[in-house]
Amino acid sequence: MKSLMLGNEAFARGLYEAGCKFVSSYPGTPSTEITEFAAKYSEIYAEWAPNEKVAMESAFGASLSGNRSFCGMKHVGLNVAADPLFTISYTGVNAGMIIAVADDPGMHSSQNEQDSRHYAIASKLPMLEPADSEEVLEYTKLAYSLSEEYDCPVIMKMCTRIAHSQSPVQTGERQVGPLKPYEKNPQKYIMMPGYAKLKHPVVEQRTAKLTEFAETSSLNRIEEGEDNSIGIITSSTSYQYVKEVCGGKYPVLKLGMVNPLPVKLIKDFAAKVGKVIIVEELDDIIETHCKKIGVECTGKELFGYIGEFSQNMIAEKLGFDSKQFKTIEENIPPRPPVMCAGCPHRGLYYILKKNKVNAIGDIGCYTLGAVAPLSALDTTVCMGASVSGLHGFNKLSPENEKNSVAVIGDSTFMHSGITGLVNIAYNESNSTVIILDNSITGMTGHQQNPTTGYNLKGDPCTKIDLEALCRSVGIKRVRVVDPYNLKECDEALKEELAANEPSVIISRRPCALLKYVKHNGPIEVNEDKCIGCKSCMRIGCPAISMKDGKALIDATLCTGCGVCKQLCPKDAIGC
Amino acid sequence: MKTKNIMIVGVGGQGTLLASKLLGKILIAKGYDVKVSEVHGMSQRGGSVVTYVRYGDKVYSPIIDKGEADIILSFEMLEAARWVEYLAPGGRIITNTRQTNPMPVITGAAVYPENLEGKIKDLGITADCFDALELANEAGSSKAVNLVLLGKLSNYFDFSEEDWMTAIEQSVPPKFLEINKKAFELGKNI
């Protein structure tokens, strides 16, 4: 019987079956579970690296040592790992190497909507793009063979709807090939100009060979249709939407390999159909290729560059009947994600807002501090940008030094905040950095990181000492506060902003959702004492609301953190 | 057969993923082609969440679009109203009537609409609306709301009691099995 698997679980299964031995990744939605599922196989060594660049370089090293390797990341993670990516394309691999990149069209959990296919083109690497879990498993196994045959890493492009959709998968046995012993080969592996110049032509020849492969590979297939007036070229989830709408009506060229793209196959397909329509999410990669090889087609003009597609959208654009549905005549309030009840970030953010500081933000659960009523953040760009951004914000504007901070999580600080802190110390800006240490990588669903003392497999390991790390790069003022203690946070913030040298405040308390965290239990509002002033509402706790003019705490949500209690002028909470 | 579409909607943290996992297990065991699509990450933090379950002879799209859902199983009243447009003509809504206020309502920036049950039924939609939390508490845990709702949903499938019980046994920890089975029965018989 087939089993139902998430795309990401099928990916891990593919790694297992193909004899992958080494996995190194940094978590990022929607790619995280590939690595988490891979870690469940005792035959695979799997780790969380501090960032995607480290993960990719480690996977390259493992390939060099003769072990099939893997690294996974989300689309913006590939920006971080772009440096090794472009040059590993030149060196090639020893044992097979797969790079997974998961795009997030529609930005369910991301800060931009970039299309990773550009990286495959720019780095001149093959990219496969599966359209369901079964294909994910099959393509993963094939990717290792391609990697070894064409001597390059292979990129597997996932997206939210493939990564986080379950569909039936037929599993197989694990097959491990012999270790490929490492052999010294300076011309292949040392990319200094003299050797790199010899390699570039090899890369171009490889692309030509891969294009030939793309012409006949079963990865790219034509599905005949009843009506040849239109022919559709598509891939990934877009293929599924097209089939959902058109069934077998129009012929479809389904592309499983999106770089390099075939030439003859597309020309032959176009010659057999009337109008060629390209259905692809985000950018016009296939469309541009078609136009470049002289195939007339329509794509973005119909479907646009923005967000996710769906079957109704495709149906409308292709002129199919639209669906009937009923609409409720009511203003339905939105339900945006919020920081959880008991979240340790809340108390600290309240103090930032109270002191009217500028907060240069970063990527994680704590980005949610940007929304009302806390509204505590000024910017969010990318991993690590808070610390380096604050340095620039302060350096030429000394007035900012006294009312601006950077806020960054523990995992994000290890990812790329530390280099920004080195810059603050080295280039001497009087900056105040706040590390929101909740002892876990929160937003992506609780992954361990170098500061937690546990590795991906859950075993105890070396724990990076944040205080010692900050001091060692040259920050003398390093202090730890409890974010549940508002007075302590307030004093620390005022003192560090006033100080005439850089400082780090570590706001330390584990994520309220961690299983080992013991809560005090819900607290209540004393209705007789409550005057309905709404002071407790200013922290945006989902457990607190107003009912009949009095504050009310939802006992099913409240953890008893006591932050609201400290705001009550009448001592009406928890007494 | 024509592909059937079930949407499971609720608030992040309510246990909607267990409901879709359980349903998926039964459907795959019955030999259907199945796709279950969920969203992880940011929206799970107390935001509006949706899971799509589709099954039939051959399922292509992993998502359900407006006007396509045969059943919407909702863990919260406002969420049932939010997704009404996704219901197919003749479709059914099964919803918990309990309210969970979203942040804009808590802060006073928006109002939780009144009488959503009546407004949904006024559209001519068949809706089973009941307090699933009360039944979950009766079963022994406020966290068993998902099994109460699944129990109600089970009435609209041709699967045997044994099929459901096997899937429940495979999906919940042994410690909570009895509570969950009781919650399922209470929901089924409401």
Side-chain angles (χ1 to χ4, degrees):
Chain A
M1 191 183 86
K2 289 189 173 186
S3 40
L4 206 53
M5 277 192 190
L6 273 181
N8 282 349
E9 187 179 2
F11 205 133
R13 182 72 202 182
L15 295 175
Y16 168 79
E17 290 182 12
C20 170
K21 288 184 185 162
F22 182 94
V23 167
S24 185
S25 303
Y26 185 80
T29 312
S31 70
T32 312
E33 300 84 1
I34 306 171
T35 301
E36 290 181 320
F37 279 112
K40 290 180 197 276
Y41 295 105
S42 59
E43 296 89 341
I44 301 178
Y45 168 80
E47 65 179 24
W48 290 127
N51 67 36
E52 295 85 353
K53 173 171 147 67
V54 174
M56 189 180 290
E57 291 156 352
S58 300
F60 170 67
S63 154
L64 210 56
S65 75
N67 296 288
R68 282 190 167 183
S69 70
F70 167 84
C71 61
M73 60 206 67
K74 67 184 293 172
H75 59 328
V76 287
L78 193 52
N79 300 337
V80 179
D83 201 357
L85 180 79
F86 282 70
T87 305
I88 297 173
S89 174
Y90 276 36
T91 60
V93 298
N94 181 22
M97 174 176 170
I98 295 178
I99 298 162
V101 58
D103 284 9
D104 190 15
M107 292 180 274
H108 296 278
S109 204
S110 301
Q111 66 269 41
N112 75 27
E113 211 171 18
Q114 71 188 45
D115 188 330
S116 295
R117 293 177 298 171
H118 292 290
Y119 273 111
I121 297 168
S123 64
K124 300 173 191 285
L125 286 171
M127 178 181 261
L128 310 187
E129 193 179 31
D132 61 23
S133 298
E134 184 97 74
E135 284 191 357
V136 171
L137 194 154
E138 183 196 328
Y139 286 17
T140 304
K141 297 202 294 194
L142 178 65
Y144 275 121
S145 311
L146 285 177
S147 172
E148 286 165 6
E149 189 182 339
Y150 291 88
D151 190 16
C152 58
V154 172
I155 308 175
M156 282 270 286
K157 194 206 143 211
M158 303 285 279
C159 67
T160 300
R161 295 302 178 190
I162 303 300
H164 288 166
S165 290
Q166 302 175 46
S167 57
V169 166
Q170 186 65 55
T171 57
E173 296 298 314
R174 177 171 166 92
Q175 289 182 330
V176 184
L179 188 82
K180 300 179 93 182
Y182 167 67
E183 286 168 17
K184 284 186 189 297
N185 187 345
Q187 292 198 5
K188 175 166 163 54
Y189 293 124
I190 302 176
M191 282 304 102
M192 53 190 190
Y195 293 153
K197 280 177 190 166
L198 299 175
K199 279 302 260 187
H200 189 183
V202 176
V203 170
E204 297 304 330
Q205 285 157 18
R206 182 180 73 207
T207 299
K209 282 183 199 155
L210 280 162
T211 306
E212 274 172 44
F213 171 79
E215 302 290 359
T216 53
S217 165
S218 59
L219 286 163
N220 302 325
R221 65 166 188 261
I222 291 172
E223 296 178 7
E224 302 295 341
E226 300 144 15
D227 176 356
N228 279 11
S229 64
I230 285 178
I232 296 169
I233 306 180
T234 185
S235 70
S236 186
T237 38
S238 297
Y239 161 79
Q240 304 289 6
Y241 301 141
V242 165
K243 291 298 283 187
E244 181 79 30
V245 171
C246 306
K249 188 173 183 193
Y250 300 126
V252 170
L253 170 54
K254 181 198 177 287
L255 299 170
M257 183 165 178
V258 289
N259 191 63
L261 286 163
V263 175
K264 187 170 178 297
L265 182 67
I266 290 177
K267 283 185 175 171
D268 290 351
F269 177 75
K272 283 194 291 187
V273 300
K275 190 177 176 188
V276 175
I277 295 181
I278 315 289
V279 187
E280 54 184 329
E281 283 181 335
L282 301 182
D283 292 344
D284 50 357
I285 304 286
I286 302 170
E287 185 178 349
T288 303
H289 171 77
C290 287
K291 287 178 175 163
K292 189 173 146 189
I293 61 171
V295 169
E296 227 177 281
C297 60
T298 311
K300 291 296 150 190
E301 178 187 329
L302 267 180
F303 302 103
Y305 294 83
I306 300 163
E308 282 191 301
F309 292 177
S310 72
Q311 50 264 38
N312 283 3
M313 185 257 209
I314 305 280
E316 186 205 323
K317 303 292 182 192
L318 294 181
F320 285 77
D321 289 342
S322 57
K323 299 260 169 35
Q324 301 294 312
F325 56 84
K326 288 172 176 161
T327 304
I328 194 161
E329 296 300 325
E330 186 69 54
N331 191 14
I332 305 291
R335 190 186 299 275
V338 291
M339 290 198 295
C340 310
C343 176
H345 304 323
R346 181 173 285 109
L348 193 276
Y349 271 165
Y350 171 74
I351 293 303
L352 295 183
K353 182 162 192 209
K354 182 173 159 248
N355 284 281
K356 298 190 173 69
V357 299
N358 303 312
I360 312 297
D362 224 295
I363 304 289
C365 281
Y366 47 96
T367 311
L368 294 171
V371 297
L374 285 166
S375 311
L377 294 179
D378 286 76
T379 77
T380 295
V381 177
C382 66
M383 297 283 285
S386 60
V387 184
S388 23
L390 178 69
H391 170 76
F393 192 61
N394 287 348
K395 191 67 198 174
L396 301 179
S397 311
E399 68 280 9
N400 289 346
E401 293 175 350
K402 300 300 172 196
N403 69 350
S404 307
V405 298
V407 284
I408 182 167
D410 47 325
S411 184
T412 311
F413 182 74
M414 293 312 301
H415 177 283
S416 47
I418 182 65
T419 41
L421 191 67
V422 168
N423 197 35
I424 285 173
Y426 171 53
N427 287 312
E428 298 180 335
S429 69
N430 182 9
S431 296
T432 303
V433 173
I434 302 176
I435 302 175
L436 302 166
D437 178 9
N438 65 350
S439 311
I440 203 75
T441 313
M443 182 61 89
T444 44
H446 286 173
Q447 288 73 35
Q448 304 295 342
N449 70 56
T451 71
T452 65
Y454 292 91
N455 62 26
L456 167 57
K457 298 259 185 182
D459 300 322
C461 63
T462 305
K463 180 181 160 93
I464 305 296
D465 181 336
L466 277 175
E467 293 94 307
L469 177 62
C470 295
R471 287 198 182 96
S472 71
V473 305
I475 308 294
K476 297 190 190 76
R477 299 183 68 98
V478 180
R479 63 197 285 180
V480 179
V481 296
D482 177 359
Y484 279 179
N485 186 333
L486 296 182
K487 187 162 174 281
E488 186 188 8
C489 292
D490 196 40
E491 283 170 7
L493 179 69
K494 287 191 166 87
E495 285 172 23
E496 298 314 322
L497 283 172
N500 286 318
E501 60 178 307
S503 43
V504 171
I505 302 172
I506 300 170
S507 169
R508 177 170 290 147
R509 190 168 265 278
C511 171
L513 297 183
L514 283 168
K515 285 199 174 121
Y516 70 80
V517 172
K518 296 276 175 274
H519 297 298
N520 295 328
I523 52 177
E524 290 178 1
V525 176
N526 182 327
E527 282 190 32
D528 297 332
K529 286 186 181 178
C530 177
I531 54 168
C533 68
K534 297 187 180 174
S535 292
C536 55
M537 301 285 294
R538 284 181 290 174
I539 50 172
C541 177
I544 311 176
S545 57
M546 297 298 290
K547 194 178 179 191
D548 305 326
K550 307 274 184 184
L552 177 73
I553 296 177
D554 182 341
T556 63
L557 290 175
C558 177
T559 65
C561 75
V563 171
C564 57
K565 183 178 156 77
Q566 298 165 59
L567 297 174
C568 182
K570 296 291 173 186
D571 219 12
I573 303 179
C575 297
Chain B
M1 69 175 268
K2 189 175 171 286
T3 299
K4 289 277 184 192
N5 299 314
I6 317 287
M7 271 173 85
I8 302 173
V9 304
V11 179
Q14 278 189 319
T16 52
L17 289 184
L18 178 72
S20 56
K21 184 178 160 190
L22 211 148
L23 198 53
K25 267 196 169 61
I26 296 186
L27 294 167
I28 195 91
K30 290 286 165 192
Y32 290 110
D33 188 19
V34 185
K35 280 197 173 145
V36 178
S37 189
E38 33 197 70
V39 170
H40 303 196
M42 189 176 246
S43 62
Q44 279 185 301
R45 300 279 175 262
S48 176
V49 291
V50 55
T51 305
Y52 308 105
V53 179
R54 312 192 70 216
Y55 66 101
D57 297 332
K58 174 69 191 166
V59 179
Y60 288 107
S61 171
I63 63 167
I64 295 168
D65 215 329
K66 287 182 181 174
E68 290 187 335
D70 296 289
I71 298 178
I72 294 178
L73 185 70
S74 172
F75 282 54
E76 201 272 347
M77 202 65 224
L78 184 66
E79 297 309 310
R82 184 187 313 286
W83 299 96
V84 154
E85 293 182 345
Y86 284 73
L87 203 64
R92 174 186 293 270
I93 290 179
I94 300 169
T95 184
N96 181 10
T97 48
R98 282 284 170 144
Q99 294 188 7
T100 303
N101 288 336
M103 194 48 71
V105 171
I106 290 174
T107 60
V111 178
Y112 197 105
E114 286 178 8
N115 188 26
L116 285 172
E117 180 178 340
K119 285 168 187 164
I120 288 171
K121 286 180 174 167
D122 285 348
L123 293 173
I125 291 169
T126 313
D128 301 326
C129 309
F130 58 97
D131 187 341
L133 182 63
E134 196 184 305
L135 296 179
N137 282 330
E138 195 184 323
S141 168
S142 60
K143 289 183 178 159
V145 164
N146 45 16
L147 268 293
V148 171
L149 289 166
L150 269 174
K152 186 70 189 171
L153 180 73
S154 71
N155 294 321
Y156 306 108
F157 288 85
D158 288 334
F159 306 142
S160 70
E161 185 81 5
E162 199 192 331
D163 294 332
W164 288 98
M165 288 305 144
T166 310
I168 293 172
E169 279 160 21
Q170 288 171 353
S171 308
V172 305
K175 206 165 73 171
F176 302 112
L177 191 58
E178 281 318 304
I179 289 176
N180 280 304
K181 280 184 173 177
K182 195 174 171 196
F184 183 86
E185 286 304 323
L186 287 170
K188 188 177 157 94
N189 297 317
I190 181 105

